[in-house]
Amino acid sequence: MTEALLTASKPELLDKEGDRTLRGVLYDYFAFGRSLEACREIFANFVDLSTTQYLILIAIKNSTAEEPMGVNQVAERLYLSGAFVTNEINKLVSDGLLEKSPHPDDRRRVQLTLTQHGLGLLTRLAALQRPVNDALFGMLTRDEFKVLSQLLSRLASNADSAVKLAEHVKATLKSQEKKGSAANLPVPRRKRRATLHNTR
């Protein structure tokens, strides 16, 4: 495969056959991602929540007294904007699934906790999640699962930078293509004659 057709350039991502392994990883990842999205929608629909609201409740369920979660912590954990998470949290508070209380160490912040209604909802949901998550990840050993957790954490932390880079490079390449197209346009007839006259 010629270098111009390669979809990566780092040696770690390439092999003797070019980028075939990388493409295989991405195809498998996209297929698994679609399954995760489908399961998440099923989970959220089961308890009459949006997928984002479902994720927020799960994230807050896993907070601790030593590390209570506020809006910013939830947004960071889910890789979502603070404004969007705030709107969804307010809906969950209105529905009686979450409650806000002052942070014990910083009165300017709030901490979020599940209400009894919220806990009951997640208890009901867990009966659906357990067999599905076992099916999604059950073929991995404990060591493989730990490695997967570490790798995905590293990949997720860098993903936003990659998206921003994609937008920047796309704009740069589009600009270069437009300039190249303009340079290849035929010279208007009158201007071409004038050019020939001046070179005699």
Side-chain angles (χ1 to χ4, degrees):
M1 180 182 291
T2 63
E3 287 190 12
L5 288 174
L6 291 176
T7 58
S9 61
K10 290 176 69 68
E12 296 86 350
L13 304 178
L14 303 173
D15 49 38
K16 291 186 296 183
E17 297 177 331
D19 59 1
R20 180 176 293 186
T21 300
L22 170 63
R23 302 318 307 171
V25 168
L26 290 174
Y27 299 148
D28 291 340
Y29 187 82
F30 293 149
F32 187 64
R34 285 194 298 270
S35 297
L36 286 179
E37 289 286 341
C39 290
R40 186 173 71 174
E41 289 181 9
I42 292 169
F43 293 159
N45 182 262
F46 182 67
V47 287
D48 298 318
L49 295 174
S50 72
T51 53
T52 303
Q53 291 169 346
Y54 152 75
L55 289 175
I56 288 171
L57 288 184
I58 294 292
I60 292 170
K61 179 202 75 169
N62 290 317
S63 63
T64 63
E66 294 75 25
E67 296 181 9
M69 276 199 168
V71 174
N72 290 339
Q73 289 71 38
V74 172
E76 289 172 7
R77 186 67 195 91
L78 300 180
Y79 300 95
L80 297 171
S81 74
F84 179 60
V85 168
T86 297
N87 289 335
E88 295 301 305
I89 284 174
N90 287 338
K91 293 175 187 175
L92 291 168
V93 171
S94 297
D95 290 341
L97 298 171
L98 285 180
E99 59 185 17
K100 296 178 180 179
S101 58
H103 192 280
D105 302 322
D106 186 348
R107 307 298 288 184
R108 296 169 299 177
R109 293 169 52 193
V110 298
Q111 64 181 28
L112 301 163
T113 53
L114 293 165
T115 62
Q116 286 301 313
H117 180 31
L119 284 170
L121 197 83
L122 291 188
T123 299
R124 177 170 166 249
L125 177 58
L128 171 61
Q129 289 173 301
R130 280 191 294 271
V132 175
N133 284 327
D134 286 349
L136 284 168
F137 300 101
M139 76 293 299
L140 300 177
T141 66
R142 178 59 185 168
D143 287 341
E144 288 172 338
F145 184 70
K146 287 169 68 176
V147 170
L148 176 66
S149 173
Q150 293 164 0
L151 291 177
L152 285 179
S153 178
R154 289 168 60 190
L155 289 170
S157 66
N158 194 53
D160 281 345
S161 298
V163 172
K164 290 175 183 174
L165 177 63
E167 292 292 346
H168 173 72
V169 174
K170 181 183 78 170
T172 301
L173 292 175
K174 286 281 189 183
S175 176
Q176 291 172 353
E177 288 172 357
K178 284 182 180 178
K179 289 178 182 177
S181 298
N184 292 327
L185 288 174
V187 179
R189 198 165 189 177
R190 289 181 183 175
K191 187 177 287 187
R192 186 163 62 242
R193 284 179 177 172
T195 303
L196 290 172
H197 176 75
N198 292 334
T199 58
R200 287 176 182 169

mmCIF file of all heavy atoms in Angstrom, residues 105-128:
data_model
loop_
_atom_site.group_PDB
_atom_site.id
_atom_site.type_symbol
_atom_site.label_atom_id
_atom_site.label_comp_id
_atom_site.label_asym_id
_atom_site.label_seq_id
_atom_site.Cartn_x
_atom_site.Cartn_y
_atom_site.Cartn_z
ATOM 1 N N ASP A 105 -17.404 20.782 52.235
ATOM 2 C CA ASP A 105 -16.162 21.548 52.322
ATOM 3 C C ASP A 105 -16.174 22.855 51.548
ATOM 4 O O ASP A 105 -15.286 23.693 51.723
ATOM 5 C CB ASP A 105 -14.974 20.698 51.821
ATOM 6 C CG ASP A 105 -14.830 19.409 52.607
ATOM 7 O OD1 ASP A 105 -15.048 19.459 53.843
ATOM 8 O OD2 ASP A 105 -14.516 18.372 51.999
ATOM 9 N N ASP A 106 -17.148 23.043 50.675
ATOM 10 C CA ASP A 106 -17.197 24.246 49.843
ATOM 11 C C ASP A 106 -18.658 24.626 49.636
ATOM 12 O O ASP A 106 -19.365 24.015 48.846
ATOM 13 C CB ASP A 106 -16.514 23.972 48.492
ATOM 14 C CG ASP A 106 -16.393 25.226 47.638
ATOM 15 O OD1 ASP A 106 -17.031 26.243 47.970
ATOM 16 O OD2 ASP A 106 -15.667 25.181 46.626
ATOM 17 N N ARG A 107 -19.111 25.663 50.366
ATOM 18 C CA ARG A 107 -20.524 26.026 50.342
ATOM 19 C C ARG A 107 -20.971 26.575 48.991
ATOM 20 O O ARG A 107 -22.164 26.688 48.729
ATOM 21 C CB ARG A 107 -20.806 27.075 51.426
ATOM 22 C CG ARG A 107 -20.349 26.680 52.826
ATOM 23 C CD ARG A 107 -21.053 25.437 53.329
ATOM 24 N NE ARG A 107 -22.442 25.647 53.664
ATOM 25 C CZ ARG A 107 -23.236 24.731 54.186
ATOM 26 N NH1 ARG A 107 -22.762 23.508 54.428
ATOM 27 N NH2 ARG A 107 -24.499 24.990 54.450
ATOM 28 N N ARG A 108 -20.014 26.925 48.116
ATOM 29 C CA ARG A 108 -20.382 27.427 46.783
ATOM 30 C C ARG A 108 -20.793 26.284 45.862
ATOM 31 O O ARG A 108 -21.403 26.517 44.822
ATOM 32 C CB ARG A 108 -19.206 28.184 46.158
ATOM 33 C CG ARG A 108 -18.801 29.446 46.924
ATOM 34 C CD ARG A 108 -17.471 29.971 46.407
ATOM 35 N NE ARG A 108 -16.405 28.980 46.608
ATOM 36 C CZ ARG A 108 -15.145 29.150 46.206
ATOM 37 N NH1 ARG A 108 -14.813 30.258 45.554
ATOM 38 N NH2 ARG A 108 -14.236 28.213 46.426
ATOM 39 N N ARG A 109 -20.439 25.068 46.213
ATOM 40 C CA ARG A 109 -20.745 23.903 45.380
ATOM 41 C C ARG A 109 -21.910 23.104 45.972
ATOM 42 O O ARG A 109 -22.246 23.274 47.148
ATOM 43 C CB ARG A 109 -19.513 22.993 45.276
ATOM 44 C CG ARG A 109 -18.350 23.590 44.521
ATOM 45 C CD ARG A 109 -17.101 22.736 44.698
ATOM 46 N NE ARG A 109 -17.343 21.329 44.382
ATOM 47 C CZ ARG A 109 -16.495 20.347 44.703
ATOM 48 N NH1 ARG A 109 -15.373 20.611 45.359
ATOM 49 N NH2 ARG A 109 -16.788 19.092 44.384
ATOM 50 N N VAL A 110 -22.505 22.273 45.137
ATOM 51 C CA VAL A 110 -23.538 21.360 45.623
ATOM 52 C C VAL A 110 -23.050 19.937 45.395
ATOM 53 O O VAL A 110 -22.190 19.682 44.550
ATOM 54 C CB VAL A 110 -24.880 21.569 44.895
ATOM 55 C CG1 VAL A 110 -25.419 22.959 45.141
ATOM 56 C CG2 VAL A 110 -24.746 21.290 43.397
ATOM 57 N N GLN A 111 -23.573 19.031 46.197
ATOM 58 C CA GLN A 111 -23.310 17.612 45.944
ATOM 59 C C GLN A 111 -24.638 16.945 45.612
ATOM 60 O O GLN A 111 -25.695 17.341 46.094
ATOM 61 C CB GLN A 111 -22.631 16.951 47.133
ATOM 62 C CG GLN A 111 -23.430 16.900 48.407
ATOM 63 C CD GLN A 111 -22.640 16.231 49.526
ATOM 64 O OE1 GLN A 111 -21.417 16.258 49.549
ATOM 65 N NE2 GLN A 111 -23.353 15.622 50.459
ATOM 66 N N LEU A 112 -24.545 15.954 44.771
ATOM 67 C CA LEU A 112 -25.737 15.291 44.256
ATOM 68 C C LEU A 112 -25.843 13.891 44.839
ATOM 69 O O LEU A 112 -24.854 13.158 44.887
ATOM 70 C CB LEU A 112 -25.667 15.207 42.731
ATOM 71 C CG LEU A 112 -25.565 16.553 42.012
ATOM 72 C CD1 LEU A 112 -25.078 16.359 40.584
ATOM 73 C CD2 LEU A 112 -26.914 17.261 42.030
ATOM 74 N N THR A 113 -27.016 13.541 45.288
ATOM 75 C CA THR A 113 -27.247 12.197 45.821
ATOM 76 C C THR A 113 -28.568 11.662 45.289
ATOM 77 O O THR A 113 -29.472 12.431 44.927
ATOM 78 C CB THR A 113 -27.290 12.192 47.364
ATOM 79 O OG1 THR A 113 -28.248 13.175 47.808
ATOM 80 C CG2 THR A 113 -25.928 12.509 47.953
ATOM 81 N N LEU A 114 -28.661 10.349 45.244
ATOM 82 C CA LEU A 114 -29.903 9.713 44.803
ATOM 83 C C LEU A 114 -30.940 9.755 45.915
ATOM 84 O O LEU A 114 -30.623 9.563 47.088
ATOM 85 C CB LEU A 114 -29.629 8.257 44.422
ATOM 86 C CG LEU A 114 -28.750 8.019 43.193
ATOM 87 C CD1 LEU A 114 -28.290 6.569 43.175
ATOM 88 C CD2 LEU A 114 -29.502 8.350 41.924
ATOM 89 N N THR A 115 -32.177 9.996 45.544
ATOM 90 C CA THR A 115 -33.277 9.878 46.503
ATOM 91 C C THR A 115 -33.645 8.400 46.624
ATOM 92 O O THR A 115 -33.140 7.547 45.882
ATOM 93 C CB THR A 115 -34.500 10.667 46.011
ATOM 94 O OG1 THR A 115 -34.938 10.095 44.764
ATOM 95 C CG2 THR A 115 -34.165 12.142 45.792
ATOM 96 N N GLN A 116 -34.536 8.099 47.541
ATOM 97 C CA GLN A 116 -35.020 6.720 47.662
ATOM 98 C C GLN A 116 -35.701 6.279 46.373
ATOM 99 O O GLN A 116 -35.567 5.123 45.946
ATOM 100 C CB GLN A 116 -35.988 6.595 48.846
ATOM 101 C CG GLN A 116 -35.304 6.619 50.205
ATOM 102 C CD GLN A 116 -34.285 5.499 50.352
ATOM 103 O OE1 GLN A 116 -34.545 4.337 50.029
ATOM 104 N NE2 GLN A 116 -33.094 5.843 50.825
ATOM 105 N N HIS A 117 -36.398 7.209 45.733
ATOM 106 C CA HIS A 117 -37.044 6.899 44.452
ATOM 107 C C HIS A 117 -35.987 6.577 43.394
ATOM 108 O O HIS A 117 -36.134 5.620 42.618
ATOM 109 C CB HIS A 117 -37.891 8.102 44.023
ATOM 110 C CG HIS A 117 -38.612 7.910 42.715
ATOM 111 N ND1 HIS A 117 -39.060 6.679 42.266
ATOM 112 C CD2 HIS A 117 -38.972 8.804 41.755
ATOM 113 C CE1 HIS A 117 -39.660 6.828 41.098
ATOM 114 N NE2 HIS A 117 -39.610 8.102 40.751
ATOM 115 N N GLY A 118 -34.900 7.366 43.380
ATOM 116 C CA GLY A 118 -33.813 7.122 42.430
ATOM 117 C C GLY A 118 -33.134 5.785 42.678
ATOM 118 O O GLY A 118 -32.820 5.041 41.739
ATOM 119 N N LEU A 119 -32.899 5.468 43.948
ATOM 120 C CA LEU A 119 -32.280 4.184 44.290
ATOM 121 C C LEU A 119 -33.178 3.019 43.885
ATOM 122 O O LEU A 119 -32.700 1.990 43.388
ATOM 123 C CB LEU A 119 -32.011 4.126 45.797
ATOM 124 C CG LEU A 119 -30.805 4.930 46.300
ATOM 125 C CD1 LEU A 119 -30.812 4.985 47.831
ATOM 126 C CD2 LEU A 119 -29.508 4.292 45.804
ATOM 127 N N GLY A 120 -34.473 3.172 44.096
ATOM 128 C CA GLY A 120 -35.406 2.114 43.705
ATOM 129 C C GLY A 120 -35.409 1.893 42.206
ATOM 130 O O GLY A 120 -35.469 0.752 41.731
ATOM 131 N N LEU A 121 -35.302 2.994 41.463
ATOM 132 C CA LEU A 121 -35.259 2.904 40.005
ATOM 133 C C LEU A 121 -34.029 2.135 39.539
ATOM 134 O O LEU A 121 -34.114 1.254 38.679
ATOM 135 C CB LEU A 121 -35.242 4.321 39.418
ATOM 136 C CG LEU A 121 -35.599 4.453 37.945
ATOM 137 C CD1 LEU A 121 -37.115 4.498 37.788
ATOM 138 C CD2 LEU A 121 -35.003 5.728 37.366
ATOM 139 N N LEU A 122 -32.864 2.444 40.149
ATOM 140 C CA LEU A 122 -31.628 1.769 39.744
ATOM 141 C C LEU A 122 -31.597 0.314 40.212
ATOM 142 O O LEU A 122 -30.992 -0.538 39.560
ATOM 143 C CB LEU A 122 -30.420 2.524 40.290
ATOM 144 C CG LEU A 122 -30.155 3.906 39.671
ATOM 145 C CD1 LEU A 122 -28.822 4.467 40.156
ATOM 146 C CD2 LEU A 122 -30.181 3.857 38.148
ATOM 147 N N THR A 123 -32.237 0.019 41.324
ATOM 148 C CA THR A 123 -32.331 -1.369 41.783
ATOM 149 C C THR A 123 -33.139 -2.195 40.784
ATOM 150 O O THR A 123 -32.768 -3.328 40.429
ATOM 151 C CB THR A 123 -32.992 -1.434 43.171
ATOM 152 O OG1 THR A 123 -32.192 -0.691 44.109
ATOM 153 C CG2 THR A 123 -33.122 -2.875 43.648
ATOM 154 N N ARG A 124 -34.236 -1.614 40.319
ATOM 155 C CA ARG A 124 -35.055 -2.281 39.301
ATOM 156 C C ARG A 124 -34.261 -2.462 38.010
ATOM 157 O O ARG A 124 -34.315 -3.509 37.369
ATOM 158 C CB ARG A 124 -36.314 -1.438 39.062
ATOM 159 C CG ARG A 124 -37.229 -1.959 37.992
ATOM 160 C CD ARG A 124 -38.562 -1.199 37.981
ATOM 161 N NE ARG A 124 -39.295 -1.475 36.751
ATOM 162 C CZ ARG A 124 -39.500 -0.587 35.783
ATOM 163 N NH1 ARG A 124 -39.026 0.646 35.905
ATOM 164 N NH2 ARG A 124 -40.176 -0.925 34.712
ATOM 165 N N LEU A 125 -33.502 -1.444 37.634
ATOM 166 C CA LEU A 125 -32.727 -1.477 36.397
ATOM 167 C C LEU A 125 -31.588 -2.489 36.461
ATOM 168 O O LEU A 125 -31.271 -3.139 35.469
ATOM 169 C CB LEU A 125 -32.169 -0.081 36.108
ATOM 170 C CG LEU A 125 -31.273 0.081 34.882
ATOM 171 C CD1 LEU A 125 -32.005 -0.350 33.612
ATOM 172 C CD2 LEU A 125 -30.799 1.522 34.764
ATOM 173 N N ALA A 126 -30.982 -2.654 37.639
ATOM 174 C CA ALA A 126 -29.823 -3.544 37.781
ATOM 175 C C ALA A 126 -30.165 -4.985 37.409
ATOM 176 O O ALA A 126 -29.309 -5.732 36.927
ATOM 177 C CB ALA A 126 -29.284 -3.488 39.206
ATOM 178 N N ALA A 127 -31.423 -5.374 37.604
ATOM 179 C CA ALA A 127 -31.833 -6.737 37.245
ATOM 180 C C ALA A 127 -31.729 -6.958 35.735
ATOM 181 O O ALA A 127 -31.535 -8.096 35.277
ATOM 182 C CB ALA A 127 -33.270 -6.985 37.712
ATOM 183 N N LEU A 128 -31.852 -5.885 34.961
ATOM 184 C CA LEU A 128 -31.682 -5.959 33.511
ATOM 185 C C LEU A 128 -30.214 -5.828 33.118
ATOM 186 O O LEU A 128 -29.722 -6.527 32.223
ATOM 187 C CB LEU A 128 -32.513 -4.861 32.838
ATOM 188 C CG LEU A 128 -32.301 -4.630 31.340
ATOM 189 C CD1 LEU A 128 -32.647 -5.887 30.540
ATOM 190 C CD2 LEU A 128 -33.151 -3.447 30.861
#
